[in-house]
Amino acid sequence: MTLTAQPTTASFLQTVRDAPEVPLEFRLNGQTLVPAGYHVTEVKAVTIESMDCGGKANAWKETVVQLMDGTPDEARAGFMTTRKFLSIYDRVAVRIPVQGTAEIRFEYGNVSSPAMQYQLVSVNVQPERVVAELQLPGVMCKATGASSSAGQCCGPVAPELIQLG
């Protein structure tokens, strides 16, 4: 079973709940991103309110699950199981208002790379493991809904609209 198509918190959790008790792995481009022995250090229910370059107000919710490397002994013990991951999440969810419809992201960093929030691309349930495939975060021009490169989607501000002092 594979979950794709804009995974939400609820769809991710349901896929993991339906899986057997097996290791839960997080990968980036098919390679292990979060090593065995990791911890779930925090689950955040985040509300974002913003205004895009076109002047439109936006608001949405995200769930951010923070992951951290474990000790060498914990790494030798293997990846966290789906059951343990869910027990941690469920303990949090009874105390903070996590929204099932919110996009889910995973935050990870270590001593050699800064913490980043990764987007969930898919969840692949295999007989021996569950693999959450992540991707690097991107930037999008919210006003046009187009991916941005060097500010092309929003364009420069007309000089007569810029007021100094």
Side-chain angles (χ1 to χ4, degrees), residues 77-149:
F79 289 96
M80 180 180 294
T81 66
T82 52
R83 183 177 190 172
K84 183 173 181 180
F85 179 91
L86 290 168
S87 72
I88 294 167
Y89 178 86
D90 291 342
R91 198 174 14 188
V92 170
V94 298
R95 307 224 29 216
I96 65 168
V98 181
Q99 301 293 314
T101 57
E103 180 180 349
I104 189 164
R105 295 178 183 260
F106 293 89
E107 184 174 74
Y108 174 72
N110 58 28
V111 295
S112 47
S113 63
M116 296 178 78
Q117 287 185 9
Y118 295 86
Q119 295 171 309
L120 180 64
V121 177
S122 65
V123 181
N124 185 0
V125 178
Q126 302 170 5
E128 68 285 352
R129 71 178 57 87
V130 173
V131 176
E133 184 67 37
L134 307 177
Q135 71 180 13
L136 292 169
V139 175
M140 177 181 282
C141 180
K142 308 288 188 295
T144 63
S147 293
S148 175
S149 61

Short mmCIF file of all heavy atoms in Angstrom, two decimals, residues 77-149:
data_model
loop_
_atom_site.label_atom_id
_atom_site.label_comp_id
_atom_site.label_asym_id
_atom_site.label_seq_id
_atom_site.Cartn_x
_atom_site.Cartn_y
_atom_site.Cartn_z
N ALA A 77 19.81 -0.50 18.05
CA ALA A 77 18.51 -1.13 18.32
C ALA A 77 17.58 -1.04 17.12
O ALA A 77 16.59 -1.76 17.03
CB ALA A 77 17.86 -0.51 19.55
N GLY A 78 17.87 -0.15 16.18
CA GLY A 78 17.07 -0.06 14.96
C GLY A 78 16.14 1.14 14.92
O GLY A 78 16.16 2.00 15.80
N PHE A 79 15.33 1.16 13.87
CA PHE A 79 14.39 2.26 13.66
C PHE A 79 13.21 2.15 14.61
O PHE A 79 12.80 1.05 14.99
CB PHE A 79 13.88 2.25 12.21
CG PHE A 79 14.91 2.65 11.21
CD1 PHE A 79 15.65 1.70 10.53
CD2 PHE A 79 15.14 3.99 10.94
CE1 PHE A 79 16.61 2.07 9.61
CE2 PHE A 79 16.10 4.38 10.02
CZ PHE A 79 16.84 3.41 9.35
N MET A 80 12.63 3.28 14.95
CA MET A 80 11.41 3.31 15.75
C MET A 80 10.32 2.55 15.02
O MET A 80 10.21 2.65 13.78
CB MET A 80 10.99 4.77 15.96
CG MET A 80 9.73 4.94 16.79
SD MET A 80 9.27 6.68 17.01
CE MET A 80 10.65 7.28 17.98
N THR A 81 9.51 1.81 15.75
CA THR A 81 8.42 1.07 15.12
C THR A 81 7.22 1.98 14.89
O THR A 81 7.09 3.04 15.53
CB THR A 81 7.97 -0.12 15.98
OG1 THR A 81 7.40 0.38 17.18
CG2 THR A 81 9.11 -1.08 16.25
N THR A 82 6.36 1.55 14.00
CA THR A 82 5.12 2.29 13.75
C THR A 82 4.31 2.42 15.04
O THR A 82 3.74 3.48 15.31
CB THR A 82 4.28 1.58 12.67
OG1 THR A 82 4.11 0.20 13.03
CG2 THR A 82 4.93 1.68 11.30
N ARG A 83 4.28 1.36 15.82
CA ARG A 83 3.51 1.39 17.08
C ARG A 83 4.06 2.43 18.05
O ARG A 83 3.30 3.18 18.67
CB ARG A 83 3.53 0.01 17.72
CG ARG A 83 2.70 -0.07 18.96
CD ARG A 83 2.70 -1.47 19.50
NE ARG A 83 1.73 -1.59 20.57
CZ ARG A 83 1.41 -2.72 21.13
NH1 ARG A 83 1.96 -3.84 20.71
NH2 ARG A 83 0.54 -2.75 22.09
N LYS A 84 5.38 2.50 18.19
CA LYS A 84 5.97 3.48 19.11
C LYS A 84 5.73 4.89 18.59
O LYS A 84 5.40 5.80 19.37
CB LYS A 84 7.46 3.23 19.29
CG LYS A 84 8.09 4.20 20.29
CD LYS A 84 9.51 3.85 20.62
CE LYS A 84 10.06 4.85 21.64
NZ LYS A 84 11.44 4.55 21.98
N PHE A 85 5.89 5.11 17.28
CA PHE A 85 5.63 6.43 16.70
C PHE A 85 4.20 6.86 17.01
O PHE A 85 3.97 7.98 17.46
CB PHE A 85 5.87 6.42 15.18
CG PHE A 85 5.59 7.75 14.54
CD1 PHE A 85 6.59 8.68 14.40
CD2 PHE A 85 4.31 8.07 14.10
CE1 PHE A 85 6.33 9.92 13.83
CE2 PHE A 85 4.04 9.30 13.53
CZ PHE A 85 5.05 10.23 13.39
N LEU A 86 3.25 5.98 16.78
CA LEU A 86 1.84 6.31 17.02
C LEU A 86 1.55 6.55 18.50
O LEU A 86 0.74 7.43 18.84
CB LEU A 86 0.93 5.21 16.47
CG LEU A 86 0.89 5.13 14.95
CD1 LEU A 86 0.21 3.84 14.51
CD2 LEU A 86 0.21 6.36 14.35
N SER A 87 2.20 5.82 19.40
CA SER A 87 1.96 6.04 20.83
C SER A 87 2.44 7.43 21.24
O SER A 87 1.80 8.11 22.04
CB SER A 87 2.60 4.95 21.68
OG SER A 87 4.00 5.08 21.69
N ILE A 88 3.55 7.88 20.67
CA ILE A 88 4.06 9.23 20.96
C ILE A 88 3.08 10.26 20.39
O ILE A 88 2.67 11.20 21.07
CB ILE A 88 5.47 9.43 20.39
CG1 ILE A 88 6.46 8.52 21.11
CG2 ILE A 88 5.90 10.90 20.48
CD1 ILE A 88 7.82 8.41 20.44
N TYR A 89 2.71 10.09 19.12
CA TYR A 89 1.79 11.03 18.49
C TYR A 89 0.46 11.09 19.25
O TYR A 89 -0.05 12.18 19.52
CB TYR A 89 1.54 10.66 17.02
CG TYR A 89 0.55 11.61 16.41
CD1 TYR A 89 0.98 12.81 15.86
CD2 TYR A 89 -0.82 11.35 16.46
CE1 TYR A 89 0.07 13.72 15.37
CE2 TYR A 89 -1.72 12.25 15.96
CZ TYR A 89 -1.27 13.44 15.43
OH TYR A 89 -2.17 14.35 14.96
N ASP A 90 -0.10 9.95 19.57
CA ASP A 90 -1.40 9.92 20.25
C ASP A 90 -1.35 10.60 21.61
O ASP A 90 -2.32 11.26 22.02
CB ASP A 90 -1.90 8.48 20.38
CG ASP A 90 -2.28 7.87 19.04
OD1 ASP A 90 -2.50 8.63 18.06
OD2 ASP A 90 -2.36 6.62 18.96
N ARG A 91 -0.24 10.46 22.31
CA ARG A 91 -0.09 11.13 23.61
C ARG A 91 -0.11 12.65 23.43
O ARG A 91 -0.68 13.37 24.24
CB ARG A 91 1.22 10.68 24.23
CG ARG A 91 1.35 10.92 25.70
CD ARG A 91 2.59 10.30 26.25
NE ARG A 91 3.52 9.93 25.17
CZ ARG A 91 4.61 9.25 25.32
NH1 ARG A 91 4.97 8.84 26.50
NH2 ARG A 91 5.38 8.95 24.31
N VAL A 92 0.51 13.14 22.37
CA VAL A 92 0.53 14.57 22.08
C VAL A 92 -0.87 15.04 21.67
O VAL A 92 -1.36 16.08 22.13
CB VAL A 92 1.54 14.89 20.95
CG1 VAL A 92 1.39 16.32 20.47
CG2 VAL A 92 2.96 14.62 21.41
N ALA A 93 -1.52 14.29 20.80
CA ALA A 93 -2.80 14.70 20.21
C ALA A 93 -3.91 14.88 21.23
O ALA A 93 -4.86 15.63 20.98
CB ALA A 93 -3.21 13.72 19.13
N VAL A 94 -3.83 14.22 22.38
CA VAL A 94 -4.87 14.42 23.40
C VAL A 94 -4.65 15.73 24.16
O VAL A 94 -5.56 16.19 24.84
CB VAL A 94 -4.97 13.24 24.40
CG1 VAL A 94 -5.35 11.96 23.69
CG2 VAL A 94 -3.70 13.07 25.20
N ARG A 95 -3.49 16.34 24.01
CA ARG A 95 -3.19 17.56 24.76
C ARG A 95 -3.10 18.82 23.91
O ARG A 95 -3.24 19.91 24.44
CB ARG A 95 -1.87 17.38 25.50
CG ARG A 95 -1.92 16.11 26.34
CD ARG A 95 -1.42 16.10 27.70
NE ARG A 95 -1.45 17.28 28.48
CZ ARG A 95 -0.50 17.57 29.33
NH1 ARG A 95 0.54 16.81 29.46
NH2 ARG A 95 -0.60 18.65 30.07
N ILE A 96 -2.82 18.68 22.60
CA ILE A 96 -2.79 19.86 21.73
C ILE A 96 -3.70 19.62 20.53
O ILE A 96 -3.88 18.49 20.10
CB ILE A 96 -1.36 20.23 21.28
CG1 ILE A 96 -0.75 19.14 20.40
CG2 ILE A 96 -0.46 20.55 22.45
CD1 ILE A 96 0.52 19.57 19.70
N PRO A 97 -4.27 20.68 19.96
CA PRO A 97 -5.24 20.53 18.87
C PRO A 97 -4.60 20.31 17.49
O PRO A 97 -4.50 21.22 16.68
CB PRO A 97 -6.01 21.85 18.91
CG PRO A 97 -5.00 22.85 19.43
CD PRO A 97 -4.13 22.07 20.40
N VAL A 98 -4.17 19.10 17.23
CA VAL A 98 -3.60 18.76 15.93
C VAL A 98 -4.75 18.52 14.96
O VAL A 98 -5.70 17.81 15.28
CB VAL A 98 -2.71 17.51 16.03
CG1 VAL A 98 -2.10 17.17 14.68
CG2 VAL A 98 -1.62 17.71 17.08
N GLN A 99 -4.68 19.13 13.78
CA GLN A 99 -5.75 19.03 12.78
C GLN A 99 -5.45 17.92 11.78
O GLN A 99 -4.37 17.92 11.17
CB GLN A 99 -5.92 20.36 12.03
CG GLN A 99 -6.25 21.53 12.92
CD GLN A 99 -7.63 21.39 13.53
OE1 GLN A 99 -8.59 21.06 12.85
NE2 GLN A 99 -7.73 21.63 14.82
N GLY A 100 -6.39 17.03 11.57
CA GLY A 100 -6.21 15.94 10.62
C GLY A 100 -6.05 16.41 9.19
O GLY A 100 -5.37 15.78 8.39
N THR A 101 -6.67 17.55 8.86
CA THR A 101 -6.60 18.07 7.50
C THR A 101 -5.31 18.85 7.23
O THR A 101 -5.05 19.22 6.09
CB THR A 101 -7.80 18.98 7.21
OG1 THR A 101 -7.82 20.03 8.18
CG2 THR A 101 -9.11 18.20 7.24
N ALA A 102 -4.52 19.09 8.27
CA ALA A 102 -3.29 19.87 8.11
C ALA A 102 -2.24 19.07 7.33
O ALA A 102 -2.15 17.86 7.45
CB ALA A 102 -2.74 20.23 9.48
N GLU A 103 -1.47 19.79 6.53
CA GLU A 103 -0.32 19.16 5.87
C GLU A 103 0.66 18.72 6.95
O GLU A 103 0.83 19.41 7.95
CB GLU A 103 0.37 20.16 4.93
CG GLU A 103 1.56 19.57 4.21
CD GLU A 103 2.26 20.54 3.27
OE1 GLU A 103 1.72 21.62 2.99
OE2 GLU A 103 3.37 20.19 2.82
N ILE A 104 1.28 17.58 6.76
CA ILE A 104 2.26 17.10 7.73
C ILE A 104 3.66 17.28 7.16
O ILE A 104 3.91 17.04 5.97
CB ILE A 104 2.00 15.63 8.15
CG1 ILE A 104 2.90 15.23 9.32
CG2 ILE A 104 2.13 14.68 6.96
CD1 ILE A 104 2.47 13.98 10.04
N ARG A 105 4.55 17.77 8.01
CA ARG A 105 5.95 17.96 7.65
C ARG A 105 6.81 17.30 8.72
O ARG A 105 6.39 17.12 9.85
CB ARG A 105 6.30 19.45 7.57
CG ARG A 105 5.56 20.17 6.46
CD ARG A 105 5.91 21.65 6.47
NE ARG A 105 5.17 22.36 5.46
CZ ARG A 105 5.65 22.70 4.27
NH1 ARG A 105 6.88 22.39 3.95
NH2 ARG A 105 4.89 23.34 3.40
N PHE A 106 8.04 17.00 8.34
CA PHE A 106 8.97 16.40 9.28
C PHE A 106 10.21 17.27 9.34
O PHE A 106 10.77 17.63 8.30
CB PHE A 106 9.32 14.96 8.86
CG PHE A 106 8.13 14.07 8.98
CD1 PHE A 106 7.26 13.90 7.91
CD2 PHE A 106 7.84 13.43 10.18
CE1 PHE A 106 6.13 13.10 8.02
CE2 PHE A 106 6.71 12.62 10.30
CZ PHE A 106 5.86 12.47 9.22
N GLU A 107 10.61 17.63 10.55
CA GLU A 107 11.76 18.50 10.76
C GLU A 107 12.91 17.64 11.27
O GLU A 107 12.75 16.86 12.21
CB GLU A 107 11.40 19.56 11.80
CG GLU A 107 12.46 20.59 12.03
CD GLU A 107 11.96 21.68 12.95
OE1 GLU A 107 11.83 21.43 14.17
OE2 GLU A 107 11.67 22.78 12.44
N TYR A 108 14.06 17.79 10.62
CA TYR A 108 15.22 16.99 11.00
C TYR A 108 16.50 17.75 10.70
O TYR A 108 16.61 18.44 9.69
CB TYR A 108 15.24 15.65 10.25
CG TYR A 108 16.50 14.87 10.50
CD1 TYR A 108 16.72 14.25 11.73
CD2 TYR A 108 17.48 14.78 9.53
CE1 TYR A 108 17.90 13.57 11.98
CE2 TYR A 108 18.67 14.08 9.77
CZ TYR A 108 18.86 13.49 10.99
OH TYR A 108 20.02 12.81 11.24
N GLY A 109 17.45 17.60 11.57
CA GLY A 109 18.79 18.13 11.39
C GLY A 109 19.70 17.41 12.37
O GLY A 109 19.24 16.71 13.28
N ASN A 110 20.99 17.58 12.20
CA ASN A 110 21.94 16.97 13.13
C ASN A 110 23.20 17.83 13.18
O ASN A 110 23.21 18.94 12.67
CB ASN A 110 22.24 15.51 12.74
CG ASN A 110 22.79 15.38 11.34
OD1 ASN A 110 23.43 16.28 10.81
ND2 ASN A 110 22.54 14.24 10.73
N VAL A 111 24.27 17.31 13.78
CA VAL A 111 25.47 18.11 13.94
C VAL A 111 26.11 18.50 12.61
O VAL A 111 26.85 19.48 12.55
CB VAL A 111 26.52 17.41 14.84
CG1 VAL A 111 26.00 17.26 16.26
CG2 VAL A 111 26.93 16.07 14.28
N SER A 112 25.83 17.78 11.54
CA SER A 112 26.45 18.12 10.26
C SER A 112 25.50 18.78 9.26
O SER A 112 25.94 19.21 8.21
CB SER A 112 27.10 16.89 9.62
OG SER A 112 26.25 15.79 9.66
N SER A 113 24.21 18.90 9.60
CA SER A 113 23.29 19.61 8.71
C SER A 113 22.24 20.35 9.54
O SER A 113 21.78 19.83 10.56
CB SER A 113 22.62 18.64 7.73
OG SER A 113 21.83 17.71 8.42
N PRO A 114 21.88 21.55 9.09
CA PRO A 114 20.91 22.34 9.86
C PRO A 114 19.52 21.71 9.83
O PRO A 114 19.18 20.98 8.89
CB PRO A 114 20.91 23.71 9.15
CG PRO A 114 21.36 23.41 7.76
CD PRO A 114 22.29 22.23 7.88
N ALA A 115 18.73 22.01 10.83
CA ALA A 115 17.36 21.51 10.87
C ALA A 115 16.56 22.14 9.73
O ALA A 115 16.66 23.34 9.47
CB ALA A 115 16.72 21.84 12.21
N MET A 116 15.79 21.29 9.04
CA MET A 116 14.93 21.73 7.94
C MET A 116 13.60 21.02 8.07
O MET A 116 13.54 19.90 8.59
CB MET A 116 15.54 21.36 6.58
CG MET A 116 16.83 22.03 6.27
SD MET A 116 17.46 21.47 4.66
CE MET A 116 16.44 22.41 3.57
N GLN A 117 12.57 21.64 7.57
CA GLN A 117 11.27 20.99 7.49
C GLN A 117 11.10 20.40 6.11
O GLN A 117 11.15 21.10 5.10
CB GLN A 117 10.14 21.98 7.78
CG GLN A 117 10.06 22.35 9.23
CD GLN A 117 8.86 23.23 9.52
OE1 GLN A 117 7.98 23.43 8.69
NE2 GLN A 117 8.83 23.76 10.72
N TYR A 118 10.92 19.10 6.06
CA TYR A 118 10.77 18.37 4.81
C TYR A 118 9.30 18.08 4.56
O TYR A 118 8.54 17.80 5.49
CB TYR A 118 11.54 17.04 4.88
CG TYR A 118 13.03 17.22 5.01
CD1 TYR A 118 13.61 17.39 6.25
CD2 TYR A 118 13.84 17.24 3.89
CE1 TYR A 118 14.98 17.57 6.38
CE2 TYR A 118 15.21 17.41 4.00
CZ TYR A 118 15.77 17.58 5.26
OH TYR A 118 17.13 17.75 5.37
N GLN A 119 8.91 18.12 3.30
CA GLN A 119 7.54 17.78 2.92
C GLN A 119 7.44 16.28 2.70
O GLN A 119 8.37 15.65 2.18
CB GLN A 119 7.16 18.53 1.64
CG GLN A 119 7.13 20.02 1.84
CD GLN A 119 6.96 20.77 0.53
OE1 GLN A 119 7.68 20.54 -0.43
NE2 GLN A 119 6.00 21.67 0.51
N LEU A 120 6.30 15.73 3.07
CA LEU A 120 6.04 14.31 2.85
C LEU A 120 5.54 14.12 1.43
O LEU A 120 4.59 14.77 1.00
CB LEU A 120 4.99 13.82 3.86
CG LEU A 120 4.61 12.35 3.78
CD1 LEU A 120 5.79 11.45 4.09
CD2 LEU A 120 3.45 12.07 4.73
N VAL A 121 6.18 13.23 0.68
CA VAL A 121 5.80 12.95 -0.70
C VAL A 121 4.92 11.71 -0.77
O VAL A 121 3.90 11.68 -1.45
CB VAL A 121 7.04 12.75 -1.60
CG1 VAL A 121 6.66 12.39 -3.02
CG2 VAL A 121 7.92 13.98 -1.57
N SER A 122 5.34 10.66 -0.05
CA SER A 122 4.59 9.41 -0.10
C SER A 122 4.94 8.56 1.11
O SER A 122 5.94 8.79 1.78
CB SER A 122 4.89 8.64 -1.39
OG SER A 122 6.24 8.23 -1.41
N VAL A 123 4.07 7.58 1.36
CA VAL A 123 4.33 6.58 2.41
C VAL A 123 4.12 5.23 1.76
O VAL A 123 3.05 4.95 1.20
CB VAL A 123 3.37 6.76 3.61
CG1 VAL A 123 3.69 5.73 4.68
CG2 VAL A 123 3.46 8.17 4.16
N ASN A 124 5.14 4.40 1.83
CA ASN A 124 5.10 3.09 1.20
C ASN A 124 5.14 2.02 2.29
O ASN A 124 6.15 1.89 2.99
CB ASN A 124 6.28 2.95 0.24
CG ASN A 124 6.24 1.67 -0.55
OD1 ASN A 124 5.34 0.84 -0.41
ND2 ASN A 124 7.23 1.49 -1.39
N VAL A 125 4.05 1.27 2.42
CA VAL A 125 3.98 0.21 3.41
C VAL A 125 4.50 -1.07 2.76
O VAL A 125 3.94 -1.54 1.77
CB VAL A 125 2.53 0.01 3.92
CG1 VAL A 125 2.47 -1.15 4.91
CG2 VAL A 125 2.01 1.29 4.55
N GLN A 126 5.57 -1.60 3.32
CA GLN A 126 6.18 -2.84 2.85
C GLN A 126 6.04 -3.87 3.96
O GLN A 126 5.83 -3.51 5.12
CB GLN A 126 7.65 -2.60 2.51
CG GLN A 126 7.86 -1.52 1.46
CD GLN A 126 9.32 -1.13 1.33
OE1 GLN A 126 10.22 -1.70 1.93
NE2 GLN A 126 9.57 -0.10 0.52
N PRO A 127 6.16 -5.14 3.66
CA PRO A 127 6.02 -6.16 4.71
C PRO A 127 7.00 -5.99 5.87
O PRO A 127 6.66 -6.26 7.01
CB PRO A 127 6.28 -7.48 3.97
CG PRO A 127 6.01 -7.18 2.54
CD PRO A 127 6.36 -5.73 2.33
N GLU A 128 8.21 -5.50 5.58
CA GLU A 128 9.24 -5.42 6.62
C GLU A 128 9.50 -4.00 7.14
O GLU A 128 10.29 -3.81 8.06
CB GLU A 128 10.55 -6.02 6.12
CG GLU A 128 11.24 -5.25 5.01
CD GLU A 128 10.62 -5.37 3.61
OE1 GLU A 128 9.71 -6.18 3.39
OE2 GLU A 128 11.06 -4.61 2.72
N ARG A 129 8.84 -2.96 6.56
CA ARG A 129 9.06 -1.57 6.98
C ARG A 129 8.01 -0.67 6.37
O ARG A 129 7.34 -1.04 5.40
CB ARG A 129 10.45 -1.09 6.58
CG ARG A 129 10.64 -0.88 5.09
CD ARG A 129 12.01 -0.36 4.70
NE ARG A 129 13.11 -1.18 5.13
CZ ARG A 129 13.60 -2.22 4.46
NH1 ARG A 129 13.08 -2.57 3.30
NH2 ARG A 129 14.61 -2.92 4.93
N VAL A 130 7.90 0.53 6.94
CA VAL A 130 7.10 1.61 6.35
C VAL A 130 8.09 2.72 6.00
O VAL A 130 8.88 3.13 6.86
CB VAL A 130 6.02 2.14 7.31
CG1 VAL A 130 5.33 3.37 6.72
CG2 VAL A 130 4.99 1.05 7.60
N VAL A 131 8.08 3.17 4.75
CA VAL A 131 9.01 4.19 4.30
C VAL A 131 8.25 5.47 4.00
O VAL A 131 7.37 5.50 3.14
CB VAL A 131 9.78 3.73 3.04
CG1 VAL A 131 10.68 4.85 2.54
CG2 VAL A 131 10.58 2.47 3.33
N ALA A 132 8.60 6.52 4.74
CA ALA A 132 8.07 7.86 4.47
C ALA A 132 9.10 8.57 3.59
O ALA A 132 10.23 8.80 4.03
CB ALA A 132 7.85 8.62 5.77
N GLU A 133 8.73 8.86 2.37
CA GLU A 133 9.62 9.53 1.43
C GLU A 133 9.39 11.03 1.55
O GLU A 133 8.27 11.51 1.41
CB GLU A 133 9.36 9.05 0.00
CG GLU A 133 10.31 9.63 -1.03
CD GLU A 133 11.77 9.17 -0.89
OE1 GLU A 133 12.01 7.99 -0.53
OE2 GLU A 133 12.68 9.98 -1.14
N LEU A 134 10.48 11.75 1.83
CA LEU A 134 10.41 13.20 2.02
C LEU A 134 11.06 13.92 0.85
O LEU A 134 11.80 13.32 0.07
CB LEU A 134 11.12 13.57 3.32
CG LEU A 134 10.67 12.83 4.58
CD1 LEU A 134 11.50 13.25 5.78
CD2 LEU A 134 9.20 13.04 4.85
N GLN A 135 10.77 15.21 0.74
CA GLN A 135 11.45 16.03 -0.25
C GLN A 135 11.85 17.34 0.40
O GLN A 135 11.27 17.76 1.40
CB GLN A 135 10.58 16.29 -1.49
CG GLN A 135 9.42 17.23 -1.26
CD GLN A 135 8.62 17.44 -2.53
OE1 GLN A 135 8.76 16.72 -3.51
NE2 GLN A 135 7.74 18.41 -2.52
N LEU A 136 12.87 17.97 -0.19
CA LEU A 136 13.31 19.26 0.31
C LEU A 136 12.19 20.28 0.17
O LEU A 136 11.39 20.20 -0.78
CB LEU A 136 14.54 19.73 -0.48
CG LEU A 136 15.81 18.91 -0.27
CD1 LEU A 136 16.86 19.30 -1.29
CD2 LEU A 136 16.32 19.09 1.14
N PRO A 137 12.14 21.23 1.08
CA PRO A 137 11.09 22.25 0.96
C PRO A 137 11.36 23.14 -0.25
O PRO A 137 12.50 23.32 -0.66
CB PRO A 137 11.21 23.04 2.26
CG PRO A 137 12.61 22.81 2.73
CD PRO A 137 13.00 21.44 2.23
N GLY A 138 10.30 23.67 -0.81
CA GLY A 138 10.42 24.56 -1.95
C GLY A 138 9.80 25.91 -1.63
O GLY A 138 9.21 26.11 -0.57
N VAL A 139 9.95 26.84 -2.55
CA VAL A 139 9.38 28.17 -2.42
C VAL A 139 8.39 28.35 -3.55
O VAL A 139 8.63 27.94 -4.68
CB VAL A 139 10.49 29.25 -2.49
CG1 VAL A 139 9.90 30.64 -2.48
CG2 VAL A 139 11.46 29.06 -1.34
N MET A 140 7.24 28.95 -3.25
CA MET A 140 6.22 29.15 -4.25
C MET A 140 5.69 30.57 -4.16
O MET A 140 5.53 31.11 -3.07
CB MET A 140 5.07 28.16 -4.03
CG MET A 140 3.93 28.35 -5.00
SD MET A 140 2.60 27.19 -4.70
CE MET A 140 3.28 25.74 -5.45
N CYS A 141 5.43 31.18 -5.30
CA CYS A 141 4.77 32.48 -5.32
C CYS A 141 3.30 32.22 -5.07
O CYS A 141 2.59 31.67 -5.91
CB CYS A 141 4.98 33.17 -6.66
SG CYS A 141 4.17 34.78 -6.74
N LYS A 142 2.84 32.56 -3.88
CA LYS A 142 1.45 32.27 -3.51
C LYS A 142 0.45 33.05 -4.37
O LYS A 142 -0.66 32.60 -4.59
CB LYS A 142 1.21 32.60 -2.03
CG LYS A 142 2.19 31.97 -1.06
CD LYS A 142 1.99 30.50 -0.89
CE LYS A 142 2.83 29.91 0.21
NZ LYS A 142 4.25 29.91 0.07
N ALA A 143 0.85 34.22 -4.84
CA ALA A 143 -0.07 35.05 -5.62
C ALA A 143 -0.45 34.40 -6.95
O ALA A 143 -1.56 34.53 -7.43
CB ALA A 143 0.54 36.43 -5.89
N THR A 144 0.50 33.65 -7.54
CA THR A 144 0.21 33.02 -8.83
C THR A 144 0.11 31.51 -8.73
O THR A 144 -0.32 30.86 -9.66
CB THR A 144 1.31 33.35 -9.86
OG1 THR A 144 2.54 32.80 -9.40
CG2 THR A 144 1.44 34.84 -10.10
N GLY A 145 0.56 30.96 -7.60
CA GLY A 145 0.56 29.51 -7.43
C GLY A 145 1.67 28.84 -8.20
O GLY A 145 1.66 27.64 -8.38
N ALA A 146 2.64 29.60 -8.67
CA ALA A 146 3.74 29.06 -9.47
C ALA A 146 5.01 28.96 -8.65
O ALA A 146 5.26 29.80 -7.80
CB ALA A 146 3.99 29.96 -10.69
N SER A 147 5.79 27.93 -8.93
CA SER A 147 7.10 27.83 -8.27
C SER A 147 7.94 29.01 -8.70
O SER A 147 7.89 29.44 -9.85
CB SER A 147 7.79 26.52 -8.66
OG SER A 147 7.08 25.43 -8.13
N SER A 148 8.71 29.51 -7.78
CA SER A 148 9.48 30.72 -8.04
C SER A 148 10.95 30.41 -8.22
O SER A 148 11.50 29.59 -7.51
CB SER A 148 9.32 31.69 -6.86
OG SER A 148 10.15 32.80 -7.03
N SER A 149 11.57 31.07 -9.18
CA SER A 149 13.02 31.04 -9.28
C SER A 149 13.48 32.46 -9.50
O SER A 149 13.09 33.11 -10.47
CB SER A 149 13.48 30.13 -10.42
OG SER A 149 13.00 30.58 -11.65
#
